Amino acid sequence: MNLTVFGIGYVGLVQAAVLAEVGHQVVCVDVDEKKVERLNQGLVPIFEPGLEALVKENHAAGRIKFTTDAAAGVKHGEIQMIAVGTPPGEDGSADLKYVLAVAETIGREMDSPKIVVGKSTVPVGTCEKVKAKIAETLKARGREDLAFDVASNPEFLKEGSAVADCMKPDRIIVGTNSEDTEAVMRELYAPFNRNHEKMIVMDVRSAEFTKYAANCMLATKISFMNEMANLAEELGADIEEVRKGIGSDPRIGYHFIYPGLGYGGSCFPKDVRALIKTAEGVKFDAKLLRAVEERNNAQKSVLFDKVNRYFKGNLKGKTFALWGLAFKPNTDDMREAPARVLMEALWQAGAKVQAYDPEAMQECQAIYGLRDDLLLCGTKEAALRGADALLIATEWKSFRAPSFDAVKDALTTPVIFDGRNLYDPKVIARHGIEYFSIGRMAA
Ligand code: NAD
């Protein structure tokens, strides 16, 4: 099938590459000329396991093309997929200007019937706005004869395993009331729907809402667990034992109940805020979601507070090794990463940071530029040299079993503040290192 994807971000690029891999002809349109130019040179702008090879192979095979030419993009695809960003506006609600700009482009350039697919995470009712925008643009052209439909098809990929998630989706949600549109969507996703039925077809509004409900549920699990962890510290309980104890109940499960420094990334924070705003719009008080967000914001400061207490508020002139910058492992994404809140608080207190992350160093440089109080180190060991303590903000695999003796030797003060509960407090104690983590007492 011929498919056009608007927006070559995380979602657009991964989906396009995966759909090209199974044989669809995909044209990707983006307004970012540099990004398009670099992709045409084989330079993939994000780190995601398996993505670079997939993009290069399909580009070389001519199944995926990158362009800024929106008119050519609209002409190409019988399906027009909108995967542009929906960042938070000033009040936290989702800003739809990019989505509606694409809708206008489609209305302006189309000269044959189209199925427009909303892939971006958008508030309930957005597909109706997209429909209205296309209809209005067609009317202005005197081309109301051109047929089109707008379906919702939210994306559930996880950064860090995005390619695998798109290759083997848990579910494919399609929101449409049209049998014809459903048939086209079934054909598009048939290669991913062979093992068992994964497509769940529903009305458009429910599909749009499903995406928010899923992200808000996951964010709620995280904030709940962080609340339990903070309380466990006060009560003298060990949250890691509690986690195993409750996870064994199949109604709760082990997924997404790790205590830590709060959720970050480009989705959970903005989607929780956006749903709160959507609720306000219909005069509904989303009490639980407001608490989820409040807990998360507070959680991002928990490790800094522990460090500050340990050093009795005297952080000026101290140097801290920081392992982990990305908001989670296997990505270089630092949007709303807890590490940023931590670093900024340390700088504010007059401390220096020696940081290492397996993938996010360039991203960190791009965000913060060159500054005297930030040293980006080539290895996790280099980050330790001469530091007053080790702080851990991301649970990368390569951090799980370091040489604790080497850690102890490199640090001025043998102390670890672990925001991801990577280690067994008893093991650390045996190595003569002080250890502070989340929801557990120091050993
Ligand atoms: P992103 O910010 O990485 O990329 C968006 C891209 O859209 C950018 O390259 C931008 O230049 C481009 N763009 C903006 N206006 C355009 C236009 N008029 N025409 C063509 N391109 C245009 O965004 P993302 O992380 O891929 O997210 C896209 C959407 O998918 C969002 O709604 C997001 O909430 C949702 N989503 C994201 C993830 C994720 O893990 N990142 C997962 C599921 C859903």
Side-chain angles (χ1 to χ4, degrees), residues 7 9-11 29-30 35 83-84 86 120-121 155 159 266-267 270:
Y10 234 98
V11 168
V29 182
D30 204 291
K35 194 184 261 189
V84 297
T86 46
S120 304
T121 302
E155 181 53 57
E159 290 189 17
S266 68
C267 291
K270 93 170 162 59

Side-chain angles (χ1 to χ4, degrees), residues 238-240 243-244 258-261 303 322-324 328-329 356 358 380 390-402 404 407 416-428 435-440:
D238 181 338
I239 196 67
E240 288 302 324
R243 179 176 65 76
K244 290 175 213 151
Y258 289 94
L261 296 181
L303 206 64
L322 175 61
W323 286 0
K328 69 173 184 178
Y356 169 74
K380 65 181 192 297
L390 166 61
L391 279 45
I392 300 174
T394 317
E395 64 276 34
W396 283 94
K397 272 209 180 82
S398 59
F399 299 161
R400 287 191 193 173
F404 290 116
V407 170
I416 298 176
F417 295 88
D418 177 1
R420 300 292 173 183
N421 289 3
L422 295 186
Y423 311 127
D424 180 343
K426 290 192 201 86
V427 172
I428 306 263
Y435 183 54
F436 298 91
S437 52
I438 307 295
R440 300 187 291 186

Side-chain angles (χ1 to χ4, degrees), residues 336-396:
E336 306 225 21
R340 291 175 67 165
V341 176
L342 177 59
M343 277 196 292
E344 286 165 22
L346 290 167
W347 292 332
Q348 185 74 29
K352 286 186 180 170
V353 176
Q354 297 182 166
Y356 169 74
D357 186 285
E359 294 297 338
M361 308 285 268
Q362 264 187 6
E363 186 60 19
C364 187
Q365 188 85 79
I367 295 168
Y368 292 111
L370 291 173
R371 42 188 300 163
D372 293 343
D373 48 10
L374 172 64
L375 182 65
L376 293 170
C377 302
T379 62
K380 65 181 192 297
E381 290 76 19
L384 295 169
R385 262 171 234 146
D388 288 287
L390 166 61
L391 279 45
I392 300 174
T394 317
E395 64 276 34
W396 283 94

Side-chain angles (χ1 to χ4, degrees), residues 123-137:
V124 174
T126 300
C127 281
E128 287 157 26
K129 288 185 182 164
V130 167
K131 203 168 190 169
K133 176 61 82 182
I134 296 174
E136 174 195 313
T137 315

Side-chain angles (χ1 to χ4, degrees), residues 5-13 29-32 35 46 67 70 82-87 97-99 101-102 105 119-122 154-159 162 211-212 215 266-267 270-271 327-328 333 335:
V5 177
F6 282 89
I8 320 177
Y10 234 98
V11 168
L13 183 58
V29 182
D30 204 291
V31 287
D32 185 336
K35 194 184 261 189
I46 48 171
T67 182
I82 306 179
V84 297
T86 46
K97 65 171 179 271
Y98 303 113
V99 170
V102 175
T105 303
K119 181 56 87 180
S120 304
T121 302
V122 290
E155 181 53 57
F156 295 92
L157 65 77
K158 301 181 283 297
E159 290 189 17
K211 174 63 191 175
Y212 279 100
N215 275 0
S266 68
C267 291
K270 93 170 162 59
D271 291 349
F327 84 94
K328 69 173 184 178
D333 198 338
R335 289 179 280 186

